[in-house]
C-alpha cells in the first residue's frame, strides 16, 4: 500500500517535516529521496513504527522515548518489517539538530513495503511548512496600562509549554528573536513538572512513567532553546525548569492559598473551571475525569509564576493567550497572593515574515 492510499484509506493525519530555510521548495520536491529518511523501529511494547525525518538529522532517542512513552527501542532492517502500527513524521527545528516527533494513531494490520513507502508520493507527506518564516508581534498586554511601559523592566520570563506548536520550529525561533530584540535578560522556564499533568491526562500512564516522559521532553526542549540562543547576541537567556521551584517554601504556601481561593471565590473558581474544561476538551480526553488534573495544572503554573515574581521576573511573555493570567494581571481576582498582583502578561501572535511586527 503506497503512502497516498494509506493516508486516504486509514484517515491518517500527519505532521510535517520542516526543512530549514536553505532548501527551496523546488529542491525538496526534486530531491525528496535525498532529503528524507525512513527508519522502522520496534518499541519495547513490540509496536513497529516508521519514523520519517530529514536526511540531515538522526533519530533522537529522547524524542522517541518521550513521544511514545517507550523505555527503549530497536532499529529494524527493512526486511524485518511486514506490518506497521504507526507512522511518525518529524518536525525538524530549521537549521538545528533537534527533532520533534509527531505521532499518529496506531493503525494495526497495515501492510506495505518500506521500500514502496520511500518511493511513492512522499511529497504528499512533506508539506514544506519549514519554508515559512515567522515574526512575533504583540497581540495584547495585561494590564493594558502597561503596554507602553513594560519594556522598562528590561527583563522577562517565557513559559515554555512542552509539546506545543508555538514552541517548535520557526515559531520558537520567532519568539526568541522577539525577546532578544526587546529585553536584556530572559528566563526561559521549561514547564516540566506542570506538563506532567498533561502526560497523565493524555497517556493514561503511571506517575513514574509520566515523569520519565516529561523529563525526556524537557531535556529536548532545553537543547532546542540553547541551539537558538547560541545564534542570538543581545539578550542574556537563562534556561531553567519549573520543577526547580517546587521545593521552595513560597511555592507550597502560594499553592495552598490558590486552592483556598478556589474554594471561597466564585469568580476565581469559575475562571479556573473554564480553563480546566477547555484544556481537557483541547486535549481530547475524558472531561469529567481530567478536569481535576487540569485545575492542578493551572494552579501549579500560577504558584511557580509567583516564585518567579519573587525573584524579580514580573513580565510574562507567551505566544498565545493565557486568560487566567490576563485576568489576574487586570486585577479581576483581588484575592490572589500579593506577588501575583505584580504580574504583567504580554501575549504574542505570529505573522509571516515580511509583514510589519512590533
Amino acid at each position: 500500500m503506497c503512502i497516498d492510499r494509506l493516508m486516504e484509506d486509514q484517515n491518517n493525519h500527519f505532521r510535517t517535516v520542516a526543512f530549514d530555510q536553505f532548501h527551496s521548495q523546488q529542491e525538496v520536491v526534486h530531491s525528496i529521496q535525498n532529503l528524507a529518511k525512513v527508519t522502522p523501529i520496534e518499541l519495547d511494547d513490540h509496536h513497529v513504527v516508521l519514523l520519517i525525518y530529514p536526511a540531515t538529522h538522526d533519530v533522537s532517542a529522547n524524542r522517541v522515548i518521550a513521544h511514545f512513552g517507550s523505555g527503549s527501542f530497536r532499529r529494524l532492517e527493512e526486511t524485518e518489517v511486514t506490518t506497521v502500527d504507526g507512522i511518525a513524521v518529524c518536525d525538524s527545528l530549521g537549521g538545528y539538530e533537534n527533532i520533534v516527533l509527531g505521532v499518529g494513531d496506531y493503525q494495526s494490520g497495515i501492510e506495505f513495503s518500506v521500500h514502496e513507502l520511500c518511493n511513492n508520493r512522499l511529497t504528499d507527506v512533506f508539506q514544506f511548512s519549514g519554508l515559512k518564516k515567522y515574526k512575533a508581534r504583540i497581540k495584547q498586554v495585561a494590564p493594558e496600562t502597561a503596554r507602553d511601559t513594560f519594556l522598562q523592566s528590561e527583563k522577562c520570563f517565557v513559559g515554555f509549554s512542552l509539546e506545543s506548536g508555538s514552541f517548535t520550529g520557526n515559531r520558537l525561533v520567532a519568539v526568541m528573536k522577539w525577546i532578544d530584540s526587546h529585553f536584556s535578560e530572559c528566563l526561559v522556564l521549561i514547564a516540566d513538572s506542570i506538563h506532567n499533568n498533561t502526560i497523565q491526562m493524555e497517556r493514561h500512564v503511571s506517575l513514574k512513567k509520566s515523569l520519565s516522559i516529561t523529563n525526556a521532553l524537557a531535556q529536548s526542549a532545553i537543547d532546542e532553546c540553547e541551539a537558538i540562543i547560541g545564534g542570538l547576541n543581545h539578550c542574556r537567556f537563562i534556561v531553567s525548569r519549573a520543577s526547580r521551584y517546587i521545593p521552595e517554601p513560597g511555592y507550597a504556601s502560594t499553592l495552598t492559598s490558590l486552592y483556598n481561593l478556589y474554594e471561597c471565590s466564585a469568580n476565581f473558581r469559575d475562571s479556573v473551571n473554564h480553563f480546566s474544561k477547555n484544556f481537557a476538551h483541547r486535549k481530547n480526553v475524558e472531561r469529567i475525569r481530567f478536569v481535576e488534573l487540569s485545575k492542578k495544572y493551572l494552579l501549579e503554573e500560577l504558584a511557580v509564576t509567583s516564585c518567579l515574581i519573587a525573584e524579580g521576573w514580573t513580565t510574562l511573555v507567551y505566544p498565545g493567550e493565557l486568560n487566567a493570567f490576563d485576568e489576574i494581571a487586570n486585577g479581576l481576582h483581588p484575592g490572589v497572593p500579593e506577588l501575583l498582583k505584580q504580574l504583567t502578561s504580554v501575549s504574542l501572535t505570529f505573522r509571516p515574515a515580511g509583514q510589519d511586527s512590533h
Side-chain angles (χ1 to χ4, degrees):
M1 181 182 292
C2 61
I3 189 66
D4 56 336
R5 184 67 178 275
L6 175 68
M7 293 172 69
E8 178 181 351
D9 290 354
Q10 302 294 334
N11 194 29
N12 275 283
H13 298 284
F14 292 89
R15 300 215 15 213
T16 58
V17 173
F19 293 96
D20 64 44
Q21 63 268 28
F22 299 109
H23 293 118
S24 68
Q25 182 166 340
Q26 289 73 25
E27 287 176 320
V28 176
V29 170
H30 294 297
S31 306
I32 190 71
Q33 292 178 32
N34 293 326
L35 293 173
K37 293 179 183 176
V38 178
T39 297
I41 63 170
E42 182 182 35
L43 305 176
D44 59 5
D45 60 2
H46 303 298
H47 282 106
V48 175
V49 177
L50 296 182
L51 305 182
I52 305 176
Y53 53 95
T56 54
H57 295 68
D58 200 356
V59 175
S60 165
N62 276 339
R63 288 296 184 185
V64 172
I65 291 170
H67 285 269
F68 290 99
S70 177
S72 62
F73 68 94
R74 179 175 70 92
R75 298 187 192 220
L76 301 175
E77 297 296 329
E78 180 180 327
T79 54
E80 295 182 78
V81 180
T82 56
T83 64
V84 297
D85 301 295
I87 297 177
V89 182
C90 309
D91 264 336
S92 71
L93 182 60
Y96 299 94
E97 293 300 321
N98 304 94
I99 298 174
V100 181
L101 296 181
V103 182
D105 293 331
Y106 283 141
Q107 298 286 349
S108 60
I110 299 172
E111 296 187 12
F112 58 88
S113 162
V114 176
H115 177 76
E116 184 179 22
L117 172 66
C118 295
N119 290 282
N120 284 276
R121 301 295 295 278
L122 267 179
T123 52
D124 287 348
V125 177
F126 297 102
Q127 299 176 33
F128 317 112
S129 67
L131 300 176
K132 181 180 289 187
K133 295 183 183 179
Y134 297 93
K135 283 191 175 181
R137 61 186 294 272
I138 297 173
K139 182 177 183 180
Q140 64 182 28
V141 177
E144 180 63 31
T145 54
R147 189 178 183 95
D148 296 327
T149 60
F150 73 89
L151 291 175
Q152 294 176 5
S153 67
E154 298 187 351
K155 58 190 295 185
C156 71
F157 71 96
V158 56
F160 191 114
S161 297
L162 295 172
E163 297 189 293
S164 165
S166 295
F167 289 93
T168 58
N170 287 336
R171 285 184 172 86
L172 176 58
V173 173
V175 171
M176 303 295 270
K177 284 185 175 180
W178 186 89
I179 292 172
D180 186 59
S181 63
H182 288 84
F183 292 94
S184 299
E185 193 172 10
C186 176
L187 174 67
V188 180
L189 188 75
I190 308 298
D192 57 343
S193 55
I194 298 166
H195 190 69
N196 186 56
N197 295 297
T198 304
I199 296 297
Q200 291 184 67
M201 277 191 284
E202 293 182 324
R203 308 196 188 188
H204 304 274
V205 295
S206 67
L207 177 61
K208 181 179 179 181
K209 190 75 166 181
S210 66
L211 288 172
S212 174
I213 294 170
T214 303
N215 183 64
L217 283 171
Q219 186 56 55
S220 293
I222 291 170
D223 293 342
E224 291 173 6
C225 288
E226 290 179 345
I228 296 172
I229 291 168
L232 304 176
N233 52 29
H234 172 67
C235 181
R236 184 175 80 91
F237 287 91
I238 304 166
V239 183
S240 185
R241 295 184 182 221
S243 55
R244 183 175 77 83
Y245 292 90
I246 291 178
E248 295 191 5
Y251 173 85
S253 60
T254 299
L255 189 59
T256 298
S257 296
L258 289 168
Y259 272 105
N260 290 338
L261 183 63
Y262 177 86
E263 294 299 327
C264 67
S265 169
N267 286 339
F268 185 68
R269 183 165 58 251
D270 288 345
S271 178
V272 172
N273 288 344
H274 179 73
F275 165 85
S276 300
K277 291 176 182 178
N278 285 344
F279 187 77
H281 178 72
R282 288 200 312 272
K283 294 298 181 181
N284 193 30
V285 295
E286 185 183 342
R287 183 173 297 187
I288 295 176
R289 180 180 178 187
F290 293 111
V291 164
E292 187 64 27
L293 276 174
S294 300
K295 178 180 76 175
K296 183 172 179 282
Y297 179 106
L298 177 59
L299 298 184
E300 288 179 357
E301 197 171 26
L302 288 170
V304 170
T305 298
S306 179
C307 293
L308 297 179
I309 293 173
E311 294 181 350
W313 306 97
T314 60
T315 301
L316 165 66
V317 174
Y318 189 82
E321 295 183 3
L322 295 173
N323 291 334
F325 285 75
D326 293 343
E327 290 175 6
I328 289 172
N330 283 319
L332 299 182
H333 301 294
V336 298
E338 288 299 314
L339 283 171
L340 286 174
K341 296 178 182 179
Q342 302 177 33
L343 177 68
T344 297
S345 177
V346 180
S347 300
L348 300 181
T349 188
F350 297 104
R351 291 286 181 87
Q355 297 187 16
D356 291 337
S357 62
H358 302 287

